[in-house]
Amino acid sequence: MKTILVTGALGQIGSELVPALRERYGAGQVIASDIRMPPVEDLAAGGRFEFIDCTNPRQIQDVVRAHDVGTIYHLAALLSVTAEEKPHIAWQLNMDGLYHVLETARSAGCKVFFPSSIGAFGPGTPRDHTPQDTIQRPNTMYGVTKVAGELLCDYYHRRFGVDARGLRFPGLISYVAPAGGGTTDWAVAIFYEAILHGHYTCFLRPDTQLDMMYMPDAQRAIVGLMEADPRQLRHRNAFNITAMQLTPSRLAAEIAQHLPNFQVEYKVDPVRQAIADSWPRSMDDGAAREEWGWQPTYGLADMTLDMLDKLRTKLLAHRVASASTAAGTAGTAGTDRGAQP
Ligand SMILES: NC(=O)c1ccc[n+]([C@@H]2O[C@H](COP(=O)([O-])OP(=O)(O)OC[C@H]3O[C@@H](n4cnc5c(N)ncnc54)[C@H](O)[C@@H]3O)[C@@H](O)[C@H]2O)c1
């Protein structure tokens, strides 16, 4: 089996996808890469890592050639909120980065995974049961790069035979790495704040409904699509997938079932609210179910229970580690790998 390369591997998805791929295909088969350096513990544990800035085609090509890479999971991107703050950098990373990955894949014969998003839709898209094939006129830089990315993947498949596959992810909820600057970050932050402070100030209106998914389902979706028999795929790329529809008030009520004193207040950020209001309220993921058997396993209740349980354990371990670092090295900064709500 050829090697697997993951770009942007230290982000919210990569932090969990890399261990999952290592478990499935063998630790030595998976190379993580990013523009940040991984924690020293990960390097010490033998996790293969390469520095790759995806805006630099040479760095991608060199690693792909040197390590006989057969599949690239291309996760490096700026997310919706950060992309609105830095539209030029978003274009460079999200578009040029994908182009360099696809070009490298074309010349080296690699398969590619490209994560698109609910952000690939816009205000003109039907917002309920958003069809697989529909109007896509997003009004954010993030959305523009996601639609163009979907089209570029289709083009590289049709024109050059690159096996480029992809999913339109909803907002992803997870506890391992902090969310990376997206409009759905509230659905992660609310858990940290509920446990740490019993209070959360939400930047969206309480009734803002968006599709969401728990990270274990997102990982299963990635692996399921990448392992699917290509003869079954009519779309191949940009599949709608969803697991649940959440509003801030619905998730807050579910958390309050476990933490009865939990309080939420709302201070709406007009920029993030406008982005959320331009996205689907619920996607139709029938094509993914039909073509490669997509089926989510987590709904609101079991996701909330698991998040609270895992996050409590993580925050407690972090607190213990910080306390012992402080006791052992008073006056010296410890390594903070823990929660960043
Ligand atoms: N997390 C979500 O809710 C979500 C939803 C839909 C789609 N997606 C998509 O999934 C992908 C990964 O998302 P994520 O949440 O893990 O993002 P993230 O922001 O958490 O991680 C992105 C990673 O890319 C790295 N990076 C930044 N600039 C880079 C560069 N020039 N070269 C290489 N790496 C660079 C960052 O250091 C970071 O580790 C993105 O394409 C995103 O649009 C994410």
Side-chain angles (χ1 to χ4, degrees):
M1 189 193 150
K2 287 190 156 203
T3 311
I4 291 167
L5 173 66
V6 182
T7 70
L10 301 181
Q12 190 191 4
I13 297 181
S15 297
E16 297 189 54
L17 181 64
V18 167
L21 293 176
R22 286 183 173 152
E23 169 131 17
R24 192 168 184 87
Y25 303 115
Q29 294 301 113
V30 181
I31 302 169
S33 72
D34 207 292
I35 50 165
R36 296 183 282 152
M37 288 307 285
V40 280
E41 305 91 282
D42 292 4
L43 288 174
R48 295 174 76 183
F49 180 86
E50 295 282 344
F51 178 95
I52 296 180
D53 177 348
C54 290
T55 62
N56 182 332
R58 272 299 291 271
Q59 291 180 4
I60 305 170
Q61 288 157 11
D62 287 351
V63 171
V64 165
R65 288 208 186 102
H67 300 284
D68 195 22
V69 169
T71 307
I72 307 172
Y73 291 78
H74 178 49
L75 305 182
L78 287 199
L79 272 61
S80 57
V81 176
T82 321
E84 274 321 280
E85 285 163 8
K86 303 170 188 167
H88 304 101
I89 296 175
W91 179 268
Q92 273 170 4
L93 175 56
N94 296 14
M95 285 319 305
D96 294 350
L98 175 63
Y99 172 73
H100 300 324
V101 164
L102 287 168
E103 264 301 290
T104 307
R106 181 175 73 82
S107 60
C110 302
K111 203 165 157 176
V112 173
F113 173 78
F114 169 67
S116 186
S117 158
I118 48 175
F121 297 113
T125 306
R127 294 192 68 205
D128 293 299
H129 310 295
T130 304
Q132 173 66 40
D133 302 305
T134 185
I135 298 162
Q136 288 183 266
R137 305 281 296 172
N139 56 8
T140 61
M141 179 52 93
Y142 182 65
V144 168
T145 64
K146 287 301 181 188
V147 180
E150 292 178 0
L151 294 173
L152 200 58
C153 287
D154 281 346
Y155 180 82
Y156 266 73
H157 175 245
R158 201 174 47 249
R159 179 81 167 77
F160 302 120
V162 173
D163 189 356
R165 306 185 185 190
L167 300 167
R168 287 185 190 129
F169 280 124
L172 299 178
I173 300 175
S174 67
Y175 58 86
V176 173
T183 306
T184 54
D185 287 11
W186 70 267
V188 175
I190 194 172
F191 283 97
Y192 283 87
E193 295 297 311
I195 293 172
L196 290 170
H197 305 116
H199 178 272
Y200 176 59
T201 305
C202 186
F203 55 77
L204 294 184
R205 279 194 318 267
D207 62 345
T208 311
Q209 180 175 301
L210 294 167
D211 285 292
M212 298 278 177
M213 184 177 292
Y214 196 30
M215 192 62 87
D217 274 340
Q219 278 172 32
R220 286 181 41 259
I222 295 171
V223 171
L225 173 63
M226 293 306 277
E227 291 186 355
D229 179 346
R231 289 168 303 185
Q232 292 173 258
L233 304 178
R234 277 189 302 111
H235 287 88
R236 183 176 297 262
N237 174 34
F239 281 97
N240 285 2
I241 53 163
T242 185
M244 60 190 102
Q245 287 75 40
L246 295 185
T247 64
S249 65
R250 207 175 294 156
L251 180 53
E254 187 66 29
I255 293 172
Q257 303 262 342
H258 306 276
L259 301 169
N261 295 327
F262 179 48
Q263 299 284 332
V264 180
E265 68 178 307
Y266 295 91
K267 276 202 187 130
V268 173
D269 169 12
V271 174
R272 287 182 280 191
Q273 186 67 54
I275 295 176
D277 288 342
S278 75
W279 288 357
R281 289 165 43 85
S282 68
M283 279 193 294
D284 174 358
D285 60 4
R289 289 171 187 260
E290 207 180 290
E291 292 179 39
W292 51 276
W294 160 244
Q295 187 81 51
T297 55
Y298 282 90
L300 172 59
D302 41 2
M303 176 277 292
T304 304
L305 197 62
D306 201 59
M307 266 299 280
L308 287 172
D309 181 39
K310 300 274 173 40
L311 197 52
R312 270 200 204 100
T313 309
K314 169 181 157 166
L315 293 173
L316 190 64
H318 177 60
R319 207 167 281 176
V320 170
S322 301
S324 59
T325 305
T329 57
T332 312
T335 311
D336 186 351
R337 292 195 61 210
Q340 297 165 27

